[in-house]
Amino acid sequence: MDRFDNLPNEVLCHILSFLTTKEAALTSVLSKRWLNLWKLVRNIDIDDSVFLYPEEGKREREGILQCFMDFVDKVLALQGDSLIERFSLKCKTGIDSDRVNGWICNVLRRGVSHLELFLDFSRYDSDSEDMYFLPEELFVSKTLVELKLRSEYGVDWWYASEGTFLPMLKTLDIDSEWIILCAKLEMFRPAFPVLQELYLANMTWSNSDEAASNASLKKLTIYASGFDDYLNPKSISFDTPSLVYLEYSDFVAADYPKVNLTNLVEARLNLMVTEDQVKLIRAPNDEDDGFLHLRNVWKLMSGIRNVQKLFITADTLEVLSLCCDMMPVFNKLKFLRIKSDKERGWQAMPVLLRNCPHLETLVLEDLLHYVTDKCGDTCDCIDREDKGCSLSSCPVKYMKITGFRGTIREMKMIKHFLESFPHLKEMKIYIEENDPTEFEVPGMLKLVSQILTHYDKFFSCDVQFLVYTELYKKWPAE
């Protein structure tokens, strides 16, 4: 403790800023010097679960929630009007929402720049005639730089959207059961003049034309989930010329009229389809409006043609089979990751690989896929004369396969890849230990080695072949 006492107050306050406010307040018992030190910390972290931890049923005790609210009131009162940088508040139902809004307004008046709100207040409360809304002051703050909203009940910007203006906001992050905007997404552009990062999950569109348009935006993440009788917008445009990162998950829109993503570096696409749409894809009908609308996905792909890293899901790959004749050339693409599914086909795989002339790394997340007569020559599902043609023109050097289960079909595909990729230097296979496999891990490794022994007769280049066992997570960092 003597070593800490020799440190200046600024350093000690910085150390305390990494603790929750409750933990920081407990340091007041250490000595007279520490008695009021925690009050000088410019970061406040209030979490009612920490306050109530670890006793089960403590939340339901009479007076305990009142004690928690009194604690927060006291913390804010003791700090007076001092400046505050960060405020994190996590509350569940049972806390007085009017007092919560009072706390939010308190830190807004004190110039808070980073605000995190995890509020599980239902907008429609069956036990009350009142509806919860975030305070109006939140939508016109002149100091907020980062705003994060979390809720299990949903977030809507319904009543305050027309008056929203956050001139300093650079990061807006909303993650909720649903998100509703009272107007189109494009209407919010003037409200965030310097916005750089936008995260929306789960977005609920109206059945209309939408546009993400912002000249300053650099990172955009949208997870849309559909709503009531409609699944997706009629159209969606991306007019974000400064964007370098796009993560977009949505049902396929009827059109993508404008896609301005000239500086995009990384894209992660999950273009979802219904089972009825899958039937349309596999049985083309030019007279069906739904089929014609699905084909417009080529506009989105053309707009991201300058991307360097591309992640696509099984649904996305299925949809792309409709625009093979309009697939752009990805001249800058060096990293491609594809998620496979046994219910979705690989019809677009050959043209996709042929149109990546500088591809270096290919990651296949699972090898199993729905077999059709249009799988192309990238797999070994159906015998054909041109087997391996698209692979032989692909310059990929490094390959990673995840979700390996040790089936004969998978082993044949691996052998096919090894034979067909002329520039391959390294192949890594990841076995998911928690997934069912045909063999135990030692038996699987033995089977792989047998394939390799047989494969040596066909392949003269030196390929480093590695097999791993590890728990594989979705969208891992590369």
Side-chain angles (χ1 to χ4, degrees), residues 92-107:
K92 291 186 176 180
T93 52
I95 307 297
D96 185 350
S97 59
D98 288 337
R99 289 177 78 168
V100 168
N101 281 0
W103 302 337
I104 296 172
C105 291
N106 179 295
V107 298

Side-chain angles (χ1 to χ4, degrees), residues 298 301-302 320-321 323-330 348 351-352 355:
W298 75 268
M301 299 307 294
S302 180
L320 293 184
S321 65
C323 58
C324 287
D325 56 341
M326 296 174 284
M327 188 78 72
V329 175
F330 297 91
V351 68
L352 185 59
N355 287 22

